[in-house]
Amino acid sequence: MRPTGKLHLGHYFGVLASWRRFQESGEYQCYYMVADWHAFSSEYKNSSVLNRNIIEVAADWLASGIDPAKSVVFVQSAVPEHTELALLFSMIVPLPWLERNPTYKELKTELKNKDLHTIGFLGYPVLQAADILIYRANSVPIGEDQLPHLELTREIARRFNNFYGDYFPEPAAVLTETPKVPGTDNRKMSKSYDNCLYISDSPQTLREKVLRMVTDPARVRRNDPGHPEVCSVFAFHKIINLDETPQIESDCQSAGIGCFDCKKNMAEKLINYMAPVYEKRLGWIQRPGQIIEMLNDGNQRAGTVAGDNLKKAKKMAGMLWHE
Ligand code: SF4
């Protein structure tokens, strides 16, 4: 995950929930990486914020249940083997593989206020392949939109194996289902829309944001029947207030409940739900030294595995001139 700022509830109920599931399943040794080189590839003119962002993201992860005793939690740039393997891959990856990458085209359009005509940005799928293959990972938890990326990683693994012998597994996608989490304006929750509820939001801030949320635009008066399926508040009821959801749905449709009461109910439910996470985050963010210590420990654990794997890959490619 790129450290581009504080994480919101879309992350909490989406990617972090699946990371937690993988961690707790006992089936996987998980590696969770703060991808600061990837953030640098688009934020290189404003890179002074990256170190602070790493601490913020790590605090969000820890508060959300990512447990460094169970998963390896580390910072990409602190494990230089990633970039060395990416360099090796960049020598064997044909340029058209990168130019046809749909995410590259999309991101360039999305971030059009940034100059992204750089070698690093074009080559970021190569670094991403190195991030995965340096641990010889078998599985990668991703959403469907990231499948073309993983396919590229698999192609790179295949190309290396064809040239130098079987070494890298072709990692499989473990598709993660994430609930739809709308922002306060009912669009997708996103920092660029300024519509986020953050993991780090205080109870008071959460309450204020929920009370300002966009509901069914057709409900102009209190006695207009509502359409909960288009309402952002209802989307949250469906995520954290399952028991009451059927009742709220029918009360909304029959105009038996007003939006203000419905929002107040949701705000209190959400505050209660997020309170332990908020408290835990507060505890961590007040002790940044401990976050750094935790990350350094993860860097070391990741570095040991990455170091062994890189050495073997370099040897196979004829690039290890001494042991
Ligand atoms: Fe949304 Fe609740 Fe209002 Fe229905 S009553 S439109 S679910 S806020």
Side-chain angles (χ1 to χ4, degrees):
M1 187 183 284
R2 290 152 44 98
T4 51
K6 293 185 292 184
L7 303 181
H8 54 62
L9 297 192
H11 297 117
Y12 182 82
F13 292 114
V15 64
L16 290 175
S18 44
W19 285 12
R20 256 194 327 268
R21 271 201 305 279
F22 288 117
Q23 172 184 273
E24 300 306 327
S25 73
E27 274 181 65
Y28 304 96
Q29 171 61 67
C30 300
Y31 288 77
Y32 295 129
M33 176 183 89
V34 186
D36 57 343
W37 274 123
H38 287 288
F40 187 83
S41 73
S42 60
E43 306 298 320
Y44 57 90
K45 287 186 185 162
N46 188 27
S47 55
S48 59
V49 298
L50 287 179
N51 277 349
R52 180 65 207 170
N53 282 350
I54 291 172
I55 300 293
E56 295 284 349
V57 163
D60 282 330
W61 289 4
L62 291 163
S64 304
I66 302 305
D67 181 352
K70 295 177 182 165
S71 299
V72 183
V73 180
F74 68 100
V75 180
Q76 184 185 30
S77 67
V79 184
E81 285 83 358
H82 287 239
T83 43
E84 193 172 348
L85 186 62
L87 179 70
L88 193 161
F89 287 161
S90 72
M91 309 286 177
I92 65 169
V93 172
L95 211 46
W97 286 14
L98 302 178
E99 287 163 341
R100 70 169 190 228
N101 164 21
T103 323
Y104 171 67
K105 292 181 198 158
E106 262 167 45
L107 273 177
K108 252 176 58 180
T109 322
E110 211 175 284
L111 306 172
K112 55 178 172 292
N113 53 341
K114 301 201 166 130
D115 181 4
L116 297 177
H117 294 93
T118 60
I119 295 171
F121 193 72
L122 177 67
Y124 86 89
V126 175
L127 179 56
Q128 216 166 37
D131 296 333
I132 297 167
L133 296 175
I134 193 79
Y135 301 103
R136 304 181 71 216
N138 305 102
S139 315
V140 188
I142 51 173
E144 212 154 330
D145 54 325
Q146 290 167 311
L147 280 173
H149 257 154
L150 188 63
E151 194 44 47
L152 190 59
T153 294
R154 291 160 57 85
E155 278 176 302
I156 293 174
R158 227 174 291 147
R159 192 162 170 90
F160 180 98
N161 293 347
N162 279 339
F163 285 153
Y164 312 117
D166 266 351
Y167 184 54
F168 291 114
E170 289 181 34
V174 185
L175 285 180
T176 53
E177 270 188 38
T178 53
K180 185 176 167 282
V181 184
T184 50
D185 57 0
N186 213 8
R187 290 187 290 177
K188 186 180 172 209
M189 192 176 284
S190 161
K191 219 166 44 161
S192 48
Y193 295 148
D194 193 20
N195 64 359
C196 297
L197 306 173
Y198 289 100
I199 295 173
S200 50
D201 278 345
S202 70
Q204 185 52 22
T205 305
L206 278 184
R207 185 176 292 113
E208 286 164 11
K209 286 184 177 177
V210 171
L211 291 181
R212 283 201 311 267
M213 266 179 153
V214 169
T215 62
D216 172 10
R219 271 204 97 180
V220 182
R221 283 175 297 270
R222 166 71 177 75
N223 53 0
D224 289 333
H227 306 86
E229 66 283 358
V230 300
C231 170
S232 50
V233 181
F234 189 70
F236 276 92
H237 279 297
K238 279 203 294 194
I239 297 171
I240 62 158
N241 191 18
L242 273 179
D243 290 349
E244 288 181 34
T245 300
Q247 188 63 46
I248 291 170
E249 186 170 23
S250 71
D251 285 350
C252 172
Q253 286 162 339
S254 64
I257 182 178
C259 289
F260 184 68
D261 288 336
C262 189
K263 284 177 176 179
K264 267 202 327 202
N265 179 9
M266 164 48 46
E268 296 318 310
K269 292 278 174 355
L270 191 61
I271 287 167
N272 281 340
Y273 191 94
M274 293 307 294
V277 180
Y278 176 75
E279 293 300 327
K280 202 168 162 193
R281 191 185 192 284
L282 215 52
W284 276 106
I285 206 70
Q286 286 163 348
R287 293 173 286 137
Q290 281 194 18
I291 296 182
I292 292 168
E293 219 172 274
M294 178 282 291
L295 288 172
N296 278 339
D297 180 59
N299 296 340
Q300 238 171 33
R301 289 163 67 198
T304 304
V305 179
D308 288 348
N309 291 347
L310 177 68
K311 197 169 163 189
K312 182 85 194 297
K314 282 174 69 178
K315 191 171 180 182
M316 291 176 80
M319 285 303 295
L320 191 71
W321 73 282
H322 67 90
E323 287 281 339

